[in-house]
């Protein structure tokens, strides 16, 4: 058994060798040396002659915390920040980290379920297709109804803020809202949306579902790069960024790109459904049952985002938490979509949102009604909203 010298006395009590401390902390001597080199877990004493490391038994609790954080997969650089915090702040940081892990897992699960459903449907279609049937493309059989979108966008500074960091866009191929934050928030939100405008989306029949998903991933990556470039001149670029909720029209489907706590809703059959999931600490607390939806509306904590497009490229262990969710959304004629920043959704409840979206005769009227509701609720934040109707073309 390896030992580095013998235990020595110290003012704080008896110090123990690295071998004994490894046994107490459930960390290997190799790991302890590594954490010492990284400044993560320093020995209480290093012999100046032979270099032997000695630890104070009071360090055991901190060492065990390091071991537990490694077991949940937390990167070493983040562990260094956690162990330097007091217990309450460390708990918040651990919750935020794990919520990011769960958000990424949920996004992968949704993509997996989409692929299962898509391939299952494709298999059923192929099994029914006659041998001499012609391939009519993914947009359906010949003579299928052609669809289009009719849309409107609006941003409003609100009542309290002195600057508008939200951005919105509505066009025949792109619907998008972005909510900027930090010193370069306005530049970040504008850059994210501008990066989506030249996306090479064609008619659905020209691209398979797999190609569409790949195109969505490329689109999201382009937006992330654009945001990093836009906020690079800021004094603290990693403190600036934006949320992004965007839908790209293919001719018969919408491709969704989503990161942060801006939202997308679908009005179908008179019911308003939220089709995005907030990447926020409060949402993670709702998900794990520690906070009810009713309590969340008055939660006193800061609106901490778990995922966003932000400045400076992160190391691989962190960058995965900043990837947008992507998926395809099937549409029907008569659908109405609402995209909005939290300046609207955080102050206007779902029932009032639904009533405003239902009552409006067209998208232009709808966005005006929604911005007015936010102002009536105090207008504490900027508002960005887009409303789009799926209609029969021509």
């Amino acid at each position: 058994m390896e030992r580095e010298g013998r235990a020595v006395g110290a003012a704080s009590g008896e110090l123990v060798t690295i071998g004994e401390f490894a046994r107490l902390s459930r960390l290997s001597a190799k790991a302890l040396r590594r954490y010492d080199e990284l400044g993560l877990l320093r020995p209480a004493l290093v012999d100046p002659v032979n270099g032997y490391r000695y630890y104070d038994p009071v360090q055991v609790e901190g060492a065990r915390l390091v071991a537990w954080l490694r077991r949940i997969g937390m990167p070493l650089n983040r562990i260094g920040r956690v162990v330097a915090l007091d217990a309450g702040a460390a708990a918040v940081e651990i919750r935020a980290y794990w919520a990011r892990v769960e958000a990424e897992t949920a996004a992968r699960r949704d993509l997996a379920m989409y692929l299962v459903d898509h391939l299952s449907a494709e298999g059923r279609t192929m099994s029914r297709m006659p041998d001499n049937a012609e391939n009519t493309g993914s947009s359906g059989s010949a003579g299928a109804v052609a669809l289009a979108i009719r849309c409107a966008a609006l941003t409003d500074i609100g009542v309290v803020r002195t600057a508008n960091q939200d951005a919105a866009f509505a066009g025949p191929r792109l619907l998008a809202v972005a909510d900027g934050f930090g010193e370069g928030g306005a530049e970040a939100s504008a850059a994210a949306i501008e990066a989506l405008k030249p996306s090479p989306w064609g008619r659905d029949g020209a691209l398979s579902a797999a190609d569409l998903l790949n195109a969505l991933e490329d689109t999201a990556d382009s937006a992330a790069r654009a945001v990093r470039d836009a906020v690079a001149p800021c004094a603290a670029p990693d403190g600036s960024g934006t949320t992004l909720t965007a839908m790209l029209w293919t001719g018969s489907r919408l491709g969704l790109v989503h990161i942060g706590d801006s939202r997308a809703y679908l009005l179908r059959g008179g019911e308003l459904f939220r089709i995005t999931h907030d990447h926020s600490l409060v949402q993670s607390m709702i998900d794990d049952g520690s906070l009810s939806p009713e309590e969340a509306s008055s939660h006193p904590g800061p609106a901490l985002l778990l995922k966003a497009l932000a400045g400076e490229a992160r190391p691989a262990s962190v960058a995965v938490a900043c990837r947008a969710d992507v998926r395809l959304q099937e549409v029907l004629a008569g659908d109405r979509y609402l995209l909005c920043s939290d300046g609207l959704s955080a102050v206007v409840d779902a029932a009032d949102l639904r009533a405003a979206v239902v009552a409006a005769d067209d998208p232009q009227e709808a966005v005006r009604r929604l911005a007015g509701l936010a102002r009536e609720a105090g207008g504490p934040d900027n508002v960005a909203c887009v409303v789009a109707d799926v209609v029969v073309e021509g």
Side-chain angles (χ1 to χ4, degrees), residues 196-208:
L196 304 186
K197 289 181 181 179
S199 299
W201 288 73
R203 284 289 175 181
D204 222 4
L207 293 173
S208 68

Side-chain angles (χ1 to χ4, degrees), residues 23-317:
R23 184 188 68 80
L24 293 172
S25 64
R26 309 304 264 309
L27 289 166
S28 68
K30 180 179 179 181
L32 289 172
R33 294 191 194 97
R34 174 65 172 156
Y35 298 160
D36 179 15
E37 292 168 0
L38 295 172
L40 190 59
L41 187 62
R42 295 290 195 187
L45 175 69
V46 177
D47 190 301
V49 177
N50 55 34
Y52 291 159
R53 297 170 174 86
Y54 298 97
Y55 293 82
D56 193 318
V58 300
Q59 294 178 273
V60 167
E61 185 174 353
R64 287 175 176 169
L65 176 59
V66 172
W68 292 330
L69 294 176
R70 288 298 291 155
R71 288 180 65 183
I72 67 172
M74 185 177 286
L76 288 172
N77 61 344
R78 189 159 187 169
I79 290 175
R81 297 198 300 271
V82 172
V83 298
L85 300 171
D86 61 48
V92 171
E93 182 72 11
I94 294 168
R95 176 186 286 278
Y97 166 75
W98 192 247
R100 283 187 174 184
V101 172
E102 290 185 323
E104 285 301 316
T105 302
R108 290 194 293 270
R109 180 197 62 221
D110 290 346
L111 178 56
M113 291 302 98
Y114 168 79
L115 293 173
V116 169
D117 291 344
H118 168 71
L119 293 173
S120 297
E122 191 173 80
R124 289 192 297 271
T125 301
M126 292 301 293
S127 67
R128 293 194 300 266
M129 186 179 293
D131 291 340
N132 61 350
E134 294 183 0
N135 182 7
T136 58
S138 61
S139 58
S141 59
V145 174
L147 301 175
I149 53 175
R150 183 177 57 184
C151 52
L154 182 148
T155 65
D156 185 72
I157 195 171
V159 175
V160 176
R161 300 293 177 90
T162 58
N164 192 353
Q165 293 187 310
D166 282 11
F169 179 84
R173 290 288 175 187
L174 172 67
L175 314 169
V177 297
D179 181 358
F181 58 84
E183 176 191 352
E187 293 80 5
S189 60
I193 292 179
E194 283 298 317
L196 304 186
K197 289 181 181 179
S199 299
W201 288 73
R203 284 289 175 181
D204 222 4
L207 293 173
S208 68
D211 289 335
L212 288 171
L213 287 170
N214 287 339
L216 279 175
E217 291 275 6
D218 293 342
T219 297
D221 290 343
S222 296
R225 289 192 297 271
V227 169
R228 288 197 295 271
D229 292 343
V231 303
C234 296
D238 57 345
S240 295
T242 186
T243 69
L244 176 65
T245 300
M247 304 189 87
L248 295 104
W249 178 240
T250 70
S252 65
R253 286 184 284 194
L254 283 163
L256 175 67
V257 176
H258 169 68
I259 187 167
D261 62 355
S262 295
R263 293 180 175 180
Y265 296 85
L266 164 63
L267 180 71
R268 179 179 287 175
E271 295 297 322
L272 188 68
F273 306 95
R274 176 150 62 107
I275 58 174
T276 54
H277 196 74
D278 292 352
H279 301 137
S280 67
L281 182 60
V282 167
Q283 182 64 58
S284 76
M285 295 172 72
I286 295 172
D287 295 341
D288 68 21
S290 58
L291 198 66
S292 71
E294 294 73 25
E295 292 169 331
S297 62
S298 58
H299 188 263
L304 177 63
L305 289 175
L306 300 178
K307 294 174 65 177
L309 302 179
E312 292 190 351
R314 302 297 203 279
S317 57

